[in-house]
Amino acid sequence: MPQYNWNEVSDADVEVLIKKVNALSSFEMFTPGRCRFVVADLPFYSHFKLLRATTFSSIPPVTMQYLIAGSGADAEVIKMNGTRDPIFENNSRAGLILNAQTVVPYATFVLDAVQTEEGTLRLVEKVDEDTFSNTPTPQQRKDVTHLIRPAKVTETANGFDLDVIMLYGDSIYRADLEVKKDGFIEIKNEELLAEGLPIRPIFLE
């Protein structure tokens, strides 16, 4: 998953936000004292932050993610629903900042937001502790380490072209992404590099 600097939401703000996030669900998922809310800045948005809410009223605990603008009673909360739509539909007022430094974090965020039966699409640039679900064989670790590399960014008249490595299910892909200036992303080409690997799929409820 993308690495963010999470900060605890104050107890006073949590009370307000519980009402706002529960209103976006079919039932009251979050209750005071049995949940945790943290928020992180997003380098590609000047107006929106990422809110992560975990309820401990279920076994196992369930975590949901939201985009949030403002704070307290005036906060606007947008539910991430497992598709790219909440991102693309709100980019125009999110204060989207796309440049050579932010376009890869942005693309990582968008791909990570899409939930499928195989987990999320994960744009990766290095091997870390989240890469593997099971202990890989030495050869598997060598193969994965050889294939994963930093994204290649090319600025175009319409935005950016990215040449990236993605993990999906138990497989590694190389993909060409087109990122438009308005934030719309399209996968133009993908190439299977390896499969049947002990790679950790990421699921959010």
Side-chain angles (χ1 to χ4, degrees):
M1 294 179 65
Q3 299 298 311
Y4 298 114
N5 183 24
W6 296 104
N7 295 291
E8 296 283 343
V9 176
S10 70
D11 291 343
D13 279 348
V14 166
E15 285 195 30
V16 174
L17 289 176
I18 282 176
K19 296 175 183 177
K20 290 179 180 286
V21 298
N22 279 340
L24 299 174
S25 300
S26 56
F27 65 98
E28 295 196 352
M29 181 179 295
F30 300 95
T31 55
R34 296 194 56 78
C35 61
R36 182 181 183 223
F37 283 44
V38 292
V39 68
D41 290 328
L42 296 169
F44 42 83
Y45 283 152
S46 61
H47 302 332
F48 284 1
K49 296 184 178 185
L50 184 61
L51 174 68
R52 192 170 190 181
T54 301
T55 175
F56 301 105
S57 297
S58 62
I59 300 176
V62 173
T63 297
M64 306 284 289
Q65 294 196 147
Y66 305 83
L67 292 170
I68 182 170
S71 61
D74 296 328
E76 177 188 6
V77 179
I78 299 160
K79 184 180 180 181
M80 304 287 282
N81 64 4
T83 75
R84 305 175 302 175
D85 296 346
I87 299 171
F88 291 167
E89 290 171 2
N90 292 285
N91 268 340
S92 60
R93 55 198 192 84
L96 181 63
I97 305 164
L98 281 186
N99 55 45
Q101 287 70 48
T102 63
V103 67
V104 173
Y106 172 74
T108 303
F109 176 70
V110 172
L111 294 175
D112 187 65
V114 179
Q115 299 289 326
T116 74
E117 292 181 357
E118 297 290 332
T120 66
L121 281 167
R122 298 166 58 201
L123 193 165
V124 292
E125 296 190 284
K126 62 181 180 180
V127 176
D128 58 27
E129 68 274 9
D130 291 329
T131 303
F132 298 102
S133 54
N134 298 305
T135 303
T137 66
Q139 186 60 47
Q140 286 174 329
R141 180 176 288 278
K142 183 178 178 182
D143 291 344
V144 171
T145 302
H146 175 70
L147 292 171
I148 292 178
R149 56 158 172 79
K152 299 174 183 177
V153 179
T154 305
E155 189 164 2
T156 68
N158 298 317
F160 294 88
D161 287 338
L162 306 182
D163 175 352
V164 303
I165 301 299
M166 298 191 310
L167 306 184
Y168 182 62
D170 67 354
S171 303
I172 300 179
Y173 293 85
R174 190 205 65 78
D176 295 313
L177 308 182
E178 182 182 26
V179 184
K180 299 285 183 63
K181 290 179 179 177
D182 65 0
F184 186 80
I185 293 180
E186 189 173 356
I187 299 176
K188 306 294 286 187
N189 182 51
E190 59 185 53
E191 170 190 358
L192 178 65
L193 300 180
E195 58 186 339
L197 296 168
I199 290 172
R200 183 188 304 278
I202 300 294
F203 295 97
L204 286 175
E205 296 302 321

